[in-house]
Amino acid sequence: MLIVMNQNATPQEIQAVVATIEANGYTARPIPGGERVSIGILNNKGPIDADAFLGLPGVKEAVPITRPYKLVSRESQMEDTIIHVGDVVIGNGHLTLIAGPCAIESETQAMTIAKLVKQAGAQIFRGGAFKPRTSPYSFQGMGLEGLKRLAKVRETTGLPVVTEVMDDETFDLVEEYADIIQIGTRNMQNFSLLRRAGKARKPVMLKRGMAATIDEWLMAAEYILEGGNSAVILCERGVRTFVNHSRNTLDISAVPVVRKESHLPIIIDPSHAGGRRDQVIPLSRAGVAVGAHGLMVEVHHTPEKALSDGAQSLYPHQFETLCHQVRAIFDSFKEQ
Ligand code: PEP
Ligand code: MN
């Protein structure tokens, strides 16, 4: 249930509602809105009697939340969440382009690609330092050395950086270096990692599990919001299907569904969805056309020599083409 306060409710009235919720044995979560504060009631085992709150000063109404994901749902927050990372804005009304290699391989590699993608129009740099690889014999990432190269990229180019966290042990380290902490598809339901992300002071990009339903994905995001971190960016990166013409199947319909169900921003990763370079630009155009708030694209200056995901990495000039095309698509419906 959501207790919606009057527009002119005082901090004391809000506090009194919080205290009443807690006195009933529930958890209260104030949600500041554009015009008024709402207070979510969490941790109720059964139905809640609205009458206990309706008579309190400053209370406008009590709205039942029908979805299992409460804080993530539009029922608890009507306005879109907008996330600021330095000067970059992610959310409704903006198209945020994130690009970089799958993995940080060296300082020269990271810096070369960062300068090229920035010139082409990227606003955020991506690069894995801790890599979840299918084979234990594949390149596992540079670890801390990779994080340091990311910090150098930020310092030199001014681009904020996003990088993946793989486990609780390295969370503090990744949080220290990253501007956005990425949770990958394989960890979408790693609940201890999600709880730790809920305590993080940086935005989290939560990728959809490769076989997760949208409900499961939004419930995973709920863990992070429930923990106290409301800066979550959802990332659709394709799901496993029977096809073999692409690495995964980009679930385009996830974008309008998520935008209807949730106030959180949603971006598309066309690189891991397609898995092949020639699919990345068309999937990007589709992602933006269907309403994604951004894209995260793998780019490499010498993809034939890349230590991971070279086959799906764009050449920098292709990324430049992508940027022009998707900006044109975004601008064509932005004003409507
Ligand atoms: C990645 O973005 O580098 C990555 C490993 O993606 P995913 O978790 O979607 O496979
Ligand atoms: Mn990759």
Side-chain angles (χ1 to χ4, degrees):
M1 180 166 292
L2 193 71
I3 307 298
V4 182
M5 301 299 292
N6 284 328
Q7 240 168 306
N8 56 3
T10 65
Q12 290 76 15
E13 287 170 343
I14 294 167
Q15 191 43 47
V17 174
V18 168
T20 309
I21 292 170
E22 288 172 351
N24 278 276
Y26 310 132
T27 303
R29 179 60 54 79
I31 305 164
E35 292 189 340
R36 59 181 85 244
V37 171
S38 300
I39 306 164
I41 303 182
L42 306 177
N43 287 327
N44 53 302
K45 302 282 176 280
I48 297 167
D49 180 11
D51 289 344
F53 307 99
L54 285 174
L56 295 176
V59 171
K60 178 171 184 277
E61 56 184 339
V63 182
I65 296 185
T66 59
R67 302 294 196 266
Y69 34 86
K70 299 183 179 198
L71 298 170
V72 160
S73 83
R74 275 222 190 262
E75 289 175 339
S76 70
Q77 184 185 312
M78 229 160 61
E79 308 92 34
D80 282 299
T81 287
I82 305 277
I83 296 172
H84 295 262
V85 183
D87 295 337
V88 183
V89 185
I90 304 165
N92 196 19
H94 302 268
L95 179 68
T96 309
L97 301 177
I98 306 171
C102 181
I104 301 299
E105 300 167 2
S106 70
E107 187 157 322
T108 311
Q109 175 250 19
M111 208 61 82
T112 304
I113 299 170
K115 286 179 180 162
L116 289 166
V117 297
K118 180 178 178 180
Q119 214 171 21
Q123 297 135 284
I124 298 177
F125 183 69
R126 67 145 287 151
F130 294 97
K131 292 301 303 174
R133 303 304 302 278
T134 302
S135 165
Y137 307 116
S138 301
F139 176 58
Q140 304 285 308
M142 289 177 74
L144 174 58
E145 291 309 309
L147 295 177
K148 289 182 178 165
R149 303 300 176 282
L150 281 166
K152 194 80 192 282
V153 163
R154 173 175 49 224
E155 200 183 298
T156 310
T157 63
L159 294 175
V161 298
V162 53
T163 195
E164 179 164 354
V165 67
M166 280 201 353
D167 47 42
D168 295 349
E169 291 72 46
T170 51
F171 204 111
D172 288 354
L173 203 56
V174 173
E175 185 178 8
E176 184 186 332
Y177 283 89
D179 297 296
I180 301 174
I181 301 162
Q182 177 175 326
I183 295 185
T185 194
R186 294 160 187 81
N187 267 321
M188 188 207 83
Q189 280 187 320
N190 179 338
F191 298 113
S192 72
L193 200 63
L194 296 174
R195 286 204 189 282
R196 175 61 187 85
K199 300 282 167 247
R201 293 170 319 279
K202 303 263 173 84
V204 174
M205 179 196 290
L206 179 64
K207 291 189 134 193
R208 179 178 179 183
M210 62 181 86
T213 64
I214 289 180
D215 273 13
E216 288 164 341
W217 187 18
L218 296 180
M219 288 304 283
E222 185 79 9
Y223 270 84
I224 305 174
L225 270 75
E226 197 270 335
N229 187 355
S230 53
V232 174
I233 303 150
L234 299 165
C235 178
E236 160 64 39
R237 47 80 71 200
V239 289
R240 266 290 164 88
T241 67
F242 55 88
V243 307
N244 58 10
H245 59 260
S246 59
R247 182 172 171 182
N248 292 287
T249 298
L250 182 63
D251 183 4
I252 278 292
S253 63
V255 176
V257 173
V258 164
R259 288 194 60 163
K260 180 163 166 251
E261 287 296 317
S262 177
H263 51 84
L264 296 174
I266 174 167
I267 68 162
I268 290 256
D269 172 348
S271 307
H272 292 88
R276 299 176 194 195
R277 190 173 303 126
D278 63 343
Q279 295 181 9
V280 173
I281 292 181
L283 293 180
S284 298
R285 290 193 299 248
V288 173
V290 83
H293 297 110
L295 299 171
M296 183 164 79
V297 182
E298 287 186 341
V299 179
H300 201 291
H301 63 310
T302 49
E304 53 290 335
K305 293 197 188 132
L307 296 182
S308 71
D309 285 347
Q312 67 196 33
S313 298
L314 293 187
Y315 288 95
H317 73 273
Q318 293 179 302
F319 179 66
E320 199 174 334
T321 303
L322 181 155
C323 290
H324 286 134
Q325 294 187 352
V326 298
R327 288 240 171 257
I329 293 169
F330 184 73
D331 290 343
S332 74
F333 66 83
K334 192 169 99 176
E335 307 304 334
Q336 292 165 20

